[in-house]
Amino acid sequence: MPEKLEQRLQHAHADGRTLVMGVVNVTPDSFSDGGRFLSPDRAVRHALELVAAGADILDVGGESTRPGAQPVDEQDELERVLPVIEGLAAATDVPVSIDTAKPAVMRRAVAAGAAMINDVNGLRAEGAVDAVAELGVPVCIMHMLGEPRTMQKNPVYESVLDDIRDFLRERVLACKAAGIPASRIVLDPGFGFGKTLDHNLELLARLDEIVALGHPILAGMSRKSMMGTITGRKNPADRVAASVAAHLIAAQKGATVVRVHDVAETVDALKTLSALKAHRAD
Ligand code: HH2
């Protein structure tokens, strides 16, 4: 029997290893791959390619959260993600995470075979914390300032690192109060979600201080506009090298999961890092 995802996350965290979460967007409007995998067959095929490339987790999402994105109706979201989750549960042992903020989608996704919940809204929707407590699967709690429609309009923090750590600590307390064990909680500073380039760079530079909260940390910068601003590359598909570099830095600073579109390239980069660590440990 393969190790449960909760244990895999905890072991990777304890050993300083980094797992790769492959992005499977079943949306018409995602910033990088919107519309490419909208049919369930194509999404499943793409996800299986990510498995072949070495993905440890597949993150299936039916609602774009890019800056300016419009919210998606619950029924539409379910129709997008459920056939993909069912298809993947039948085709691979690689655990599937559901990228959603809606408690009803969390429940239906886990019933269909999802093994993790990834909520960019940090379980702030009514009933979300209770749904996760009942479902008994690991959860990623992400920080977002505002909401996707408006979040990039002049985000302001007193101190970006302190504000985000306070938010994450508060969400962990809310989870624990509802009976979610600490061992199931993954935290994410939410790169690009209500953050300027300076905010994102500060968070990456000081990611070890978020790791110090004691939970596995997920970092997701793949192809995001911060990579475009740094490199001057307008097309998200041209931001692969910058994204690999950013996730390698995150891994060096202790990230337990990196969420990426370009799995093969990221796996190679992480193998290089672990070879170096193994060499130095000899
Ligand atoms: N980023 C995106 C979506 N989900 N989840 C976590 N935990 N962390 C992230 O940084 C994160 C996330 C946005 O990326 P993508 O899915 O490629 O785009 P879109 O939201 O447009 O579908």
Side-chain angles (χ1 to χ4, degrees):
M1 170 123 177
E3 195 178 30
K4 272 181 69 182
L5 183 56
E6 182 179 338
Q7 277 78 46
R8 283 198 70 193
L9 288 163
Q10 287 304 322
H11 287 156
H13 180 223
D15 300 347
R17 277 181 296 112
T18 305
L19 304 176
V20 175
M21 173 184 266
V23 177
V24 183
N25 282 323
V26 199
T27 57
D29 55 345
S30 287
F31 77 93
S32 168
D33 50 6
R36 284 190 59 202
F37 312 113
L38 197 50
S39 90
D41 280 0
R42 289 180 71 172
V44 169
R45 233 179 301 139
H46 174 63
L48 294 177
E49 282 167 16
L50 300 184
V51 169
D56 298 292
I57 307 168
L58 296 163
D59 191 38
V60 174
E63 175 171 28
S64 172
T65 48
R66 74 182 156 74
Q70 293 297 324
V72 174
D73 180 60
E74 182 175 301
Q75 197 51 39
D76 288 347
E77 194 178 333
L78 285 169
E79 281 168 21
R80 290 177 188 173
V81 298
L82 288 182
V84 178
I85 295 170
E86 283 161 5
L88 288 173
T92 176
D93 285 340
V94 170
V96 172
S97 141
I98 173 70
D99 188 347
T100 189
K102 298 187 184 77
V105 178
M106 296 172 187
R107 290 179 202 281
R108 295 282 300 274
V110 171
M116 177 171 177
I117 287 155
N118 173 25
D119 185 356
V120 299
N121 196 35
L123 300 183
R124 285 178 292 172
E126 200 182 329
V129 170
D130 290 336
V132 170
E134 268 169 52
L135 293 169
V137 295
V139 62
C140 178
I141 294 177
M142 197 195 81
H143 173 272
M144 166 166 58
L145 185 67
E147 50 165 347
R149 214 164 37 80
T150 52
M151 67 191 179
Q152 287 307 95
K153 290 185 183 152
N154 191 30
V156 177
Y157 296 86
E158 219 166 279
S159 148
V160 68
L161 187 81
D162 291 344
D163 291 8
I164 287 173
R165 279 199 309 198
D166 287 349
F167 170 85
L168 295 173
R169 277 197 202 99
E170 183 276 319
R171 296 318 294 152
V172 168
L173 289 178
C175 285
K176 286 188 181 160
I180 301 173
S183 58
R184 279 193 202 133
I185 303 174
V186 175
L187 301 177
D188 180 348
F191 288 99
F193 284 84
K195 281 118 190 158
T196 62
L197 176 61
D198 267 356
H199 294 143
N200 288 320
L201 288 173
E202 177 80 0
L203 291 171
L204 181 56
R206 300 176 66 185
L207 199 66
D208 49 328
E209 295 178 52
I210 302 177
V211 172
L213 291 174
H215 289 266
I217 298 301
L218 185 151
M221 293 169 277
S222 189
R223 300 186 179 191
K224 284 184 180 173
S225 73
M226 66 181 282
M227 312 316 324
T229 312
I230 291 169
T231 58
R233 296 192 186 274
K234 287 204 169 52
N235 182 353
D238 294 334
R239 300 173 186 163
V240 180
S243 303
V244 170
H247 291 111
L248 192 64
I249 294 167
Q252 278 187 300
K253 289 186 177 286
T256 301
V257 185
V258 289
R259 181 183 179 278
V260 304
H261 300 86
D262 304 290
V263 169
E265 293 82 349
T266 308
V267 166
D268 280 1
L270 291 173
K271 279 184 181 165
T272 311
L273 181 61
S274 34
L276 190 65
K277 280 189 188 164
H279 172 77
R280 295 192 69 181
D282 275 349

